[in-house]
Amino acid sequence: MTNTFPQALTIAGSDSDGSAGMQADLHTFFTRGVYGASVITACVAGNSYGIHASVPMPTDFIDQEFKDLADDYQIRASKTGMLADSELIEDVVQNYQAHDFGPLVVDPVIMTKHGNQLLEESAFETLRTKLLPLATVLTPNFFEVQKIAEMTITSDADMVTAAQKMQRMGAKNIIAKGSHALPNQTTVRDLVLLANGDHFWLSQPYHATDRVNGTGDSLSACITAELAKGTPMRQAITLAKSFVNTAIGHPIEVGHKFGPINHWAAQNRDYDDLPE
């Protein structure tokens, strides 16, 4: 029989060094036992030292990618990565709405984990008003939470309020990631707000390492893979958090500077002991 194997889609840019973007998503899909398809939105030339060139894909090419996948595959869950501008965001929104590609996980990729803005304001507004309302799951980092919710986070209560604001914007389930820049930090705490209004915190050890490329991509991709397999939402999110923490905690020596996380270590872990 065809199309019985779980299939997931990443809508993202191609990162030539393999550490982030579409490549990190496909690494994650593979390690979670899901077949991964891709809609390439841009090609990036870079290495562990940095990004040195990028070329966006024409929207008519992106449209064809969506059509070809819809004509042949049974995509059960999808995710977005970095979308460079308003035109691209709007094109992705239109294509996603036109095809049945399952629940959508939105990794907003607005700001870096250090607070540097990646998107122009016009593209940010398009993302917030047109893509965010389609999100089955939204996975902003600490600075993106503040940017989207338009508030400063100084307490747990603030984080809950910000997540609730994002939920009122249309996103159903929120993973609001905690700060990675606190003095003497030993843990990272993320808030999860589910569609039914329940919320809880996920805490994992903090790893002081520069081998963290693809962390956000892999978290959102792991959730996408689990949803494609039919894993319940709470379990999918909890597993994804542990998956990424395991990958960060077992670094591999690839490249000279900012390296990738270790998907092999995450693949080899038994996740049966996680709370449901």
Side-chain angles (χ1 to χ4, degrees):
M1 295 179 63
T2 60
N3 282 332
T4 58
F5 197 84
Q7 300 155 48
L9 171 66
T10 171
I11 306 164
S14 171
D15 191 327
S16 65
D17 76 354
S19 69
M22 180 196 72
Q23 281 82 350
D25 294 338
L26 293 177
H27 292 332
T28 304
F29 291 165
F30 179 86
T31 57
R32 294 310 303 157
V34 170
Y35 182 83
S38 64
V39 166
I40 299 178
T41 59
C43 289
V44 173
N47 53 31
S48 67
Y49 293 110
I51 294 172
H52 303 110
S54 64
V55 177
M57 294 294 103
T59 54
D60 58 349
F61 178 80
I62 293 171
D63 295 343
Q64 190 66 48
E65 291 182 281
F66 273 101
K67 181 181 183 304
D68 286 348
L69 291 176
D71 287 346
D72 194 16
Y73 293 88
Q74 186 178 333
I75 305 297
R76 299 185 187 177
S78 305
K79 65 148 292 185
T80 61
M82 186 174 182
L83 304 176
D85 54 39
S86 291
E87 181 184 18
L88 178 54
I89 295 169
E90 291 179 355
D91 188 63
V92 167
V93 166
Q94 291 169 7
N95 276 287
Y96 178 77
Q97 291 176 318
H99 304 293
D100 182 10
F101 283 164
L104 181 65
V105 180
V106 173
D107 181 4
V109 196
I110 300 164
M111 305 182 77
T112 70
K113 64 175 62 67
H114 305 295
N116 299 314
Q117 186 154 333
L118 298 170
L119 286 184
E120 296 180 357
E121 281 300 313
S122 60
F124 164 66
E125 288 302 324
T126 305
L127 185 147
R128 182 165 65 172
T129 59
K130 295 190 176 181
L131 182 62
L132 189 151
L134 300 180
T136 307
V137 185
L138 182 67
T139 64
N141 65 34
F142 181 75
F143 293 102
E144 290 165 343
V145 171
Q146 297 184 115
K147 178 71 174 176
I148 296 171
E150 298 181 312
M151 60 181 290
T152 301
I153 308 296
T154 60
S155 67
D156 286 358
D158 288 342
M159 188 69 96
V160 173
T161 299
Q164 291 170 337
K165 288 182 69 173
M166 290 185 286
Q167 199 171 61
R168 288 194 292 271
M169 295 176 190
K172 297 178 179 63
N173 301 274
I174 316 291
I175 307 169
K177 302 175 199 172
S179 174
H180 291 70
L182 299 175
N184 303 315
Q185 186 164 0
T186 59
T187 60
V188 177
R189 297 174 68 244
D190 300 341
L191 172 71
V192 179
L193 176 63
L194 298 176
N196 64 6
D198 291 345
H199 75 268
F200 58 95
W201 294 86
L202 292 174
S203 180
Q204 293 282 351
Y206 173 74
H207 302 287
T209 175
D210 58 7
R211 309 245 147 211
V212 293
N213 283 7
T215 301
D217 306 286
S218 299
L219 177 74
S220 55
C222 188
I223 297 168
T224 306
E226 293 305 314
L227 295 180
K229 293 189 291 186
T231 303
M233 182 64 68
R234 181 171 184 144
Q235 183 180 346
I237 292 171
T238 302
L239 189 152
K241 172 72 173 178
S242 293
F243 175 92
V244 169
N245 192 264
T246 300
I248 296 172
H250 296 79
I252 52 176
E253 296 302 317
V254 174
H256 292 84
K257 197 172 183 182
F258 300 108
I261 63 175
N262 184 355
H263 293 85
W264 287 302
Q267 179 183 26
N268 294 330
R269 177 179 167 181
D270 182 0
Y271 295 93
D272 291 341
D273 58 343
L274 296 177
E276 297 185 4

